[in-house]
Amino acid sequence: MTYYIYHIPGKKIGVTCDLNNRVTVQQGYGPGEYEILETSNDIDFISNKERVLQREYGYRVDMVPYKKLNRKIMMDLNVTEQTTTFPCPVDKLKGRLFDMIGYEWTTEHGSFEITTESIDWIINNVKTSMFNNDRSYIYNKAFSVWSENAIGTIRAPKNVKCSKKPLKMFNNIRDWAEQRGLYTKGDTKTQLIKLQEEMGELAKATLENDKPEVIDAIGDMVVVLTNLAHLNGVHIETCIAEAYKVISKRTGKMVNGTFVKDAD
């Protein structure tokens, strides 16, 4: 496994095994906005070198070396016959898993490995422990089935949470986005910016009473919202259903061309 010491000028020096996901996807810094200071397959060397460079560049020096942080995470995994439990809440799990890429563990359903593809599956299927909100878990058998089907393939986070029957049109959009790598290389921040751009197009078309452009802009916004929902681990069908469940119970009246709900 190769470890990288990266430097975001003026911000930090850190270590990762996956530059794209750790630096670009999670922190938002693209190529050209950071530099690689050191690479090595030796975790002891890279852990010591990171702290030396942090000191030389004037950054806060990590109190816990990278190697000890990783080992602590790995040792804390709680594996039973049915589940594997992670020692952190769901909203922090993805970053912790990226620090464990290459780590393997064994269950009664077989051996598992943390990869960029398996992280997608874990995040889309992980559940919060009913006993402790700071712990999360997956079912080993389900992970085993996915692992067997994933051998020799690259899997994007396709099976996201959906409480409603997926609709064909939205499935077509998700398939289109998946084929183009949007779910493996894109992120929520860029999709949010894209949504704002399409909103501007819709506003312009509405003010100019340009119906074809209104249709085009609304369609583009639905596509972006579909992908934004997917990248957040849900289907847009679920989001729409949840919104309708709330508004269907509202009462109110029309005022100046818009519906104003009654006060609670």
Side-chain angles (χ1 to χ4, degrees), residues 5-6 12-15 37 47-65:
I5 297 180
Y6 63 91
K12 66 177 294 187
I13 285 176
V15 175
L37 301 180
S47 296
N48 294 331
K49 189 66 175 181
E50 177 194 25
R51 302 176 80 195
V52 169
L53 290 172
Q54 287 172 338
R55 189 176 296 108
E56 289 180 355
Y57 280 73
Y59 294 113
R60 179 182 64 82
V61 178
D62 291 343
M63 295 183 63
V64 180

Side-chain angles (χ1 to χ4, degrees), residues 36-259:
I36 305 302
L37 301 180
E38 193 76 58
T39 63
S40 176
N41 295 325
D42 186 338
I43 191 171
D44 292 313
F45 168 80
I46 216 73
S47 296
N48 294 331
K49 189 66 175 181
E50 177 194 25
R51 302 176 80 195
V52 169
L53 290 172
Q54 287 172 338
R55 189 176 296 108
E56 289 180 355
Y57 280 73
Y59 294 113
R60 179 182 64 82
V61 178
D62 291 343
M63 295 183 63
V64 180
Y66 179 79
K67 63 177 181 179
K68 289 187 177 180
L69 176 64
N70 267 9
R71 287 172 183 169
K72 181 178 184 300
I73 294 173
M74 295 174 188
M75 288 191 296
D76 282 345
L77 291 185
N78 182 20
V79 182
T80 67
E81 177 184 357
Q82 288 191 323
T83 63
T84 293
T85 299
F86 304 96
C88 67
V90 171
D91 61 351
K92 296 181 179 179
L93 180 59
K94 190 170 186 177
R96 299 281 289 275
L97 290 176
F98 275 116
D99 286 333
M100 292 175 60
I101 287 180
Y103 176 69
E104 299 180 1
W105 74 101
T106 301
T107 76
E108 294 190 12
H109 296 280
S111 296
F112 300 145
E113 179 182 0
I114 299 297
T115 66
T116 54
E117 289 76 35
S118 65
I119 288 174
D120 289 332
W121 186 93
I122 292 171
I123 294 302
N124 291 326
N125 292 275
V126 70
K127 301 181 184 299
T128 298
S129 169
M130 63 184 295
F131 305 108
N132 186 341
N133 290 335
D134 290 330
R135 299 178 71 82
S136 51
Y137 68 94
I138 57 171
Y139 286 103
N140 294 332
K141 182 173 177 56
F143 193 23
S144 175
V145 171
W146 175 85
S147 297
E148 291 175 1
N149 292 333
I151 294 176
T153 65
I154 298 178
R155 299 178 64 93
K158 190 172 182 179
N159 297 319
V160 300
K161 301 173 184 177
C162 184
S163 62
K164 300 297 176 182
K165 181 180 179 180
L167 300 180
K168 182 177 180 180
M169 183 57 68
F170 292 123
N171 271 340
N172 288 343
I173 294 171
R174 287 185 286 263
D175 288 342
W176 171 87
E178 181 182 3
Q179 291 167 8
R180 286 156 178 78
L182 193 148
Y183 297 148
T184 55
K185 298 180 181 179
D187 62 72
T188 55
K189 296 185 291 297
T190 56
Q191 287 303 298
L192 185 59
I193 293 172
K194 181 66 175 175
L195 182 63
Q196 293 173 326
E197 293 176 353
E198 299 300 345
M199 181 61 191
E201 293 294 326
L202 177 59
K204 180 175 182 293
T206 300
L207 293 174
E208 296 177 353
N209 197 27
D210 188 338
K211 188 173 181 179
E213 286 301 318
V214 167
I215 294 173
D216 183 70
I218 291 175
D220 287 341
M221 290 177 69
V222 171
V223 170
V224 176
L225 285 169
T226 301
N227 294 329
L228 186 58
H230 193 100
L231 287 166
N232 275 289
V234 295
H235 276 178
I236 192 172
E237 295 94 321
T238 299
C239 302
I240 295 171
E242 289 299 312
Y244 180 74
K245 184 166 63 176
V246 173
I247 66 172
S248 64
K249 300 175 183 178
R250 286 178 181 168
T251 59
K253 58 184 178 180
M254 292 296 296
V255 177
N256 296 328
T258 188
F259 180 79

